[in-house]
Amino acid sequence: GGSVWDWYDWGEHYTVCPEMPTASFLFEDLKTFIDTDPQGWVAQAFAYGLEATIDGDSLEVDVTADRPDLLAIEGFARALKVYAGQSRSLPPVLSSSHRRVEVEASVLLLRPYLAALVVENLSLTPASLEGLLQFQEKVSQTFGRQRKKAAIGIYDLGKIQGQLTYRTVDWEAIQFIPLGETSPQTPRYILEHHPKGAQYRSTLPDGSRVPILQDESGQVLALPPIINAAIVGEINSDTTALFIDVTGTNQKTVQELASILAHNFIDRGAAVKTVTIQTPTGECQTPDLTPLCIPFSAKVLNEVLGTAIPKLKLDAYLKRMNLTVRKSNVVEAPSYRTDLFSEIDLAGDLLVAIGLENLQVDYSDFHFFLGHADPLKAFALQVGDWAQRMGLLEVKSYILTDPDLLSGFVADPHRLLRAYNSRSRSHSTARPTLQAGLLEILSRNIQAPKPLQIYEVGEVLLPQGDDLKADQFRETVYWGFAVLDSQASFTIAKSYTQTLLKALEIPFQLTPCSDRRYVPQRAATVMVQGQAIGHFGEIHPQILEQFSFPEPVCAGELDCQALRI
């Protein structure tokens, strides 16, 4: 869903999906939770492991990506209060709102998961409303992966009639007034012409079916996760009851986000009630605040941190992080702690609870070991030394590159190892060759005096067999070179390769090479003990055109790991 601020230009106020999201908490709202001065908040946040700065009448807090609960002012205040020793209580069970959302089978292929909650007896101020809407947007952009994995919709409960239905419709079958607009629009028009449609259309699969949320009267509440409807989606400081939905493509994320919202409103003093979600396979109640149970070993925790805390005293420390030891070997964590998976995560919380300044060094337990250089790295340094003696300039490029750069160097682009959910296409694919990066560097320096002679020693990942799983790729170290010059030729490439191999006293033979990156009959494969360990030649004109080279380029590369053997 969208928010009451959906017609605002969020780009002017907040950075979308940064490496470490920054939350802004107004002093006016923060004082209702923590009774101290702003400098005290900064000091408490630092002790908890958060960086906070004062900016006018607000506190700017850098939140790590694994703690979405801290993006809300309630979650931030809750963490500091519990850390300072204040107790926190939850209702033993959430009451039912007697509201129901029927999830039809038609949405399962589009955006299948939904959780919901009802909030009553809510007292909103302009400051707390701003905090709520900021959390809605921030957590949907970060934890919700730009609304694709999960997104929040907030509605005025008093304007919803009866039970609700989450279903799909043809994108021209209905009309509703989007939030911030004055005239009805079809979902198709919204997706193709509305700013929010343009921004978030990629969160829905292609096609003419779209998900909608409607009440019993047929009123459209939202086109999830694009935008809410006007009237029912308009929230202000006079609103006292809310209906909130979380939709997404990942069930765990959707449930966790609903749980975080419930905890936030409980800490604000509101009454949170459950909603029945009826799906084609059964029904459930959301939100679910059942604590997480994480097995642990006191011995392991002490070994990880280098401490010697008795098992019976661990509970006193972990309570500062709102964790409770149960049954001597299990820790209970509140459901908003989506970052806790194992005892290693508990060790991180225990370290924060102890405080770095309180850790004492035990000098009697030091152990010293004599290390040695990695043989392959030492050999690579030797190769680089000889390359510099031949007049080549060393360069470095990233192991992740743009798949478009590799198109002329690999016969089958499907045999490339790609990073899942990469932030940028230019750094999304693991390189199987150094030459693409070397040619890109040359292309950025075409105006420099010629000849341009560069080399690189770096890691590449090569597919092994037909199974393209991540563990079926071999990482090795290549030495590669490239020369841009009007005289660049097969002979120049051969001279560099031959000089290096003779300097390393490695016997070799040359055989014809048919690699597509080279000009036919102007390339050679390097054989050592009957094994192909590299190649060199004149770069093919199609690749020269791809990089806009005005002059010939010759290049080559050798497998350092195979050479060392």
Side-chain angles (χ1 to χ4, degrees):
S3 78
V4 70
W5 285 6
D6 265 343
W7 63 88
Y8 277 57
D9 182 2
W10 277 89
E12 295 180 0
H13 301 280
Y14 301 102
T15 303
V16 175
C17 203
E19 291 288 345
M20 181 179 288
T22 300
S24 180
F25 304 137
L26 291 174
F27 291 168
E28 178 185 346
D29 198 23
L30 196 52
K31 287 178 180 178
T32 63
F33 294 98
I34 309 176
D35 186 18
T36 186
D37 61 276
Q39 288 297 339
W41 297 329
V42 172
Q44 288 177 320
F46 182 79
Y48 194 80
L50 300 172
E51 184 176 345
T53 56
I54 296 173
D55 183 15
D57 61 351
S58 64
L59 189 70
E60 304 287 327
V61 181
D62 291 337
V63 179
T64 55
D66 61 341
R67 289 295 302 272
D69 58 298
L70 297 179
L71 288 170
I73 193 169
E74 299 90 350
F76 174 74
R78 175 173 59 238
L80 298 194
K81 289 169 68 177
V82 174
Y83 187 76
Q86 298 185 39
S87 61
R88 175 176 181 263
S89 61
L90 284 173
V93 64
L94 297 181
S95 302
S96 172
S97 66
H98 303 293
R99 295 276 182 168
R100 176 184 296 269
V101 180
E102 181 182 355
V103 178
E104 294 189 355
S106 59
V107 300
L108 299 183
L109 296 177
L110 295 181
R111 194 173 178 84
Y113 302 111
L114 178 142
L117 60 146
V118 164
V119 181
E120 297 178 348
N121 303 326
L122 180 63
S123 178
L124 289 173
T125 65
S128 61
L129 176 60
E130 181 175 338
L132 170 61
L133 298 177
Q134 178 195 232
F135 172 74
Q136 176 194 16
E137 189 68 14
K138 283 282 187 177
V139 80
S140 296
Q141 294 290 336
T142 54
F143 191 59
R145 302 292 176 87
Q146 308 243 12
R147 299 193 186 183
K148 184 174 182 66
K149 196 174 181 182
I152 301 170
I154 304 176
Y155 317 93
D156 187 336
L157 181 66
K159 298 172 183 175
I160 298 175
Q161 299 182 37
Q163 310 304 343
L164 296 94
T165 303
Y166 180 48
R167 64 189 185 96
T168 66
V169 296
D170 184 87
W171 63 357
E172 290 187 331
I174 63 169
Q175 288 186 335
F176 68 96
I177 303 175
L179 201 58
E181 301 292 338
T182 56
S183 58
Q185 298 175 5
T186 64
R188 179 173 186 173
Y189 184 89
I190 293 171
L191 291 174
E192 293 181 348
H193 302 287
H194 195 283
K196 290 299 176 184
Q199 185 175 0
Y200 297 114
R201 181 174 182 176
S202 62
T203 61
L204 296 175
D206 294 334
S208 61
R209 304 293 296 184
V210 295
I212 61 163
L213 184 64
Q214 288 180 295
D215 67 9
E216 210 166 280
S217 69
Q219 174 186 216
V220 174
L221 276 68
L223 169 63
I226 311 300
I227 196 168
N228 286 359
I231 302 177
V232 69
E234 294 171 356
I235 311 300
N236 55 50
S237 54
D238 294 326
T239 305
T240 59
L242 301 175
F243 179 86
I244 300 177
D245 75 70
V246 183
T247 63
T249 57
N250 183 284
Q251 185 176 22
K252 183 173 182 290
T253 302
V254 167
Q255 297 289 348
E256 288 174 341
L257 198 45
S259 177
I260 292 172
L261 285 162
H263 280 281
N264 291 349
F265 285 110
I266 289 171
D267 286 348
R268 196 170 277 282
V272 175
K273 297 184 177 182
T274 61
V275 175
T276 300
I277 309 299
Q278 179 70 53
T279 70
T281 58
E283 68 177 39
C284 64
Q285 305 291 322
T286 64
D288 182 4
L289 304 189
T290 303
L292 310 172
C293 292
I294 305 168
F296 81 99
S297 163
K299 179 182 177 181
V300 171
L301 293 183
N302 280 308
E303 286 178 350
V304 170
L305 299 183
T307 54
I309 302 173
K311 191 171 186 178
L312 294 177
K313 293 186 178 181
L314 283 176
D315 188 53
Y317 286 105
L318 293 175
K319 279 183 176 178
R320 301 188 70 188
M321 308 302 291
N322 208 14
L323 307 176
T324 305
V325 176
R326 303 287 189 194
K327 300 179 182 179
S328 76
N329 62 348
V330 172
V331 167
E332 271 192 6
S335 57
Y336 63 79
R337 288 300 303 272
T338 62
D339 60 312
L340 298 179
F341 298 95
S342 70
E343 58 188 346
I344 300 302
D345 301 307
L346 296 179
D349 269 28
L350 180 59
L351 178 61
V352 174
I354 296 171
L356 284 174
E357 68 281 1
N358 296 320
L359 289 179
Q360 301 297 320
V361 179
D362 182 2
Y363 293 98
S364 66
D365 196 35
F366 275 2
H367 299 276
F368 295 92
F369 301 92
L370 293 177
H372 60 273
D374 177 79
L376 180 57
K377 293 293 184 182
F379 181 74
L381 289 174
Q382 184 183 1
V383 171
D385 179 60
W386 280 108
Q388 293 179 35
R389 295 188 190 191
M390 291 189 291
L392 298 172
L393 178 67
E394 184 178 19
V395 297
K396 286 291 184 183
S397 57
Y398 294 111
I399 191 171
L400 290 178
T401 187
D402 191 329
D404 294 338
L405 292 179
L406 300 171
S407 59
F409 297 87
V410 294
D412 184 1
H414 297 293
R415 293 178 60 79
L416 295 172
L417 182 62
R418 301 177 187 271
Y420 174 74
N421 198 28
S422 62
R423 293 283 303 279
S424 168
R425 180 176 174 81
S426 62
H427 295 85
S428 65
T429 305
R431 62 187 181 187
T433 174
L434 296 178
Q435 289 186 356
L438 290 170
L439 265 60
E440 183 187 24
I441 292 173
L442 287 178
S443 70
R444 297 178 184 274
N445 295 274
I446 289 177
Q447 303 303 322
K450 309 297 186 299
L452 291 178
Q453 305 158 306
I454 61 175
Y455 83 94
E456 179 177 3
V457 178
E459 294 80 4
V460 298
L461 278 91
L462 306 175
Q464 302 296 298
D466 297 327
D467 190 350
L468 297 184
K469 295 181 179 179
D471 59 356
Q472 298 300 313
F473 282 76
R474 177 174 69 92
E475 181 179 335
T476 187
V477 175
Y478 271 16
W479 171 76
F481 71 92
V483 178
L484 171 61
D485 185 54
S486 60
Q487 304 300 317
S489 64
F490 171 81
T491 303
I492 297 295
K494 178 182 177 182
S495 67
Y496 281 118
T497 307
Q498 186 172 266
T499 300
L500 176 65
L501 292 171
K502 288 185 175 181
L504 295 172
E505 300 180 348
I506 297 176
F508 67 95
Q509 296 84 37
L510 300 180
T511 62
C513 176
S514 59
D515 194 296
R516 66 201 301 264
R517 75 190 71 182
Y518 299 121
V519 176
Q521 301 181 1
R522 301 295 294 169
T525 297
V526 180
M527 307 291 293
V528 174
Q529 297 181 359
Q531 178 185 359
I533 55 88
H535 44 75
F536 61 86
E538 296 179 18
I539 297 299
H540 197 283
Q542 289 182 347
I543 297 180
L544 297 181
E545 182 179 354
Q546 175 186 348
F547 287 92
S548 302
F549 287 126
E551 296 173 299
V553 174
C554 64
E557 58 189 5
L558 301 174
D559 186 339
C560 291
Q561 188 167 7
L563 281 177
R564 191 181 67 84
I565 296 174

